[in-house]
Amino acid sequence: MYIVIMGGGRVGLRLAISLVKVGLDVTLIENDSDLCNNAASELDAMVICGNGTDIKTLLEANIADADVFVAATGNDEANLLSCILVKDYKIPKVIARVSNPDHDEAFRKVGIDIVVSPELTAAGYLEKVITRPKIADLIVIGKGNAELLELSVNNSKIFGKKIGDLSPTEDYIIAAVHKNGEIKIPKDGMMLKEGNRISILVKTPAIKAVTKKFTQ
């Protein structure tokens, strides 16, 4: 997976470092020379000192090959413009950091896949959004040894099964089922249907297997 990140500040740099550690290919774009030099010294990846709202810089970053683009600067206008520009390259996933909640709707109107508000801009959250694409949302529990995931049931082998036959196990428990905008505490006899959204409390080492169980 190849990820291009615009913004070498606290969020962008920490995200880039996290993604490199899990073996992903990353390019970081930053127009501030000091931040750029700092990123180059800390990051084992390509760092481009340039403006992510400039087509030439995006092309230098091989934007057409990117699987994910993240606009992580603290400037909403720059993030929005860069996201609009990269949409022309049919990137599978475009993620934007939005500092002003009033701008949230503007980002969504131009088709940004994921809009992350300030309270969710921890690099660890963005990393999980990228590396766990089938998870709709998540909350890290305790010291990171468990997570509360929200995902859609898309595995046909799960359709029609009773929650009591699936949960709890040593690795996870189905904590809630979302129906018609309401959260229902699951009962053993409740059946799961295609597209049901569920919340699951999962031990961190089992996340990949549990996600696959319900989504593939």
Side-chain angles (χ1 to χ4, degrees), residues 76-77 80 96-120:
D76 286 1
E77 289 75 15
L80 180 60
R97 173 187 176 186
V98 182
S99 298
N100 185 341
D102 292 339
H103 297 163
D104 187 275
E105 187 62 26
F107 278 78
R108 297 186 188 280
K109 281 184 177 179
V110 299
I112 308 305
D113 299 303
I114 299 174
V115 179
V116 183
S117 298
E119 64 273 14
L120 297 176

Side-chain angles (χ1 to χ4, degrees), residues 162-169 172-175 186 188 200 213-214:
K162 296 179 180 178
I163 287 181
D165 294 332
L166 299 168
S167 169
T169 72
Y172 72 87
I173 181 170
I174 299 175
D188 287 350
I200 310 182
K213 178 183 182 74
F214 287 92

Side-chain angles (χ1 to χ4, degrees), residues 56-77:
K56 290 182 180 179
T57 301
L58 292 172
L59 292 176
E60 184 180 351
N62 297 317
I63 193 65
D65 296 329
D67 298 293
V68 181
F69 175 78
V70 183
T73 79
N75 185 310
D76 286 1
E77 289 75 15

Side-chain angles (χ1 to χ4, degrees), residues 19-39:
L19 294 174
V20 169
K21 282 183 179 179
V22 297
L24 300 183
D25 188 11
V26 175
T27 291
L28 181 70
I29 300 172
E30 173 54 54
N31 65 352
D32 181 281
S33 58
D34 290 337
L35 290 177
C36 193
N37 291 333
N38 178 61

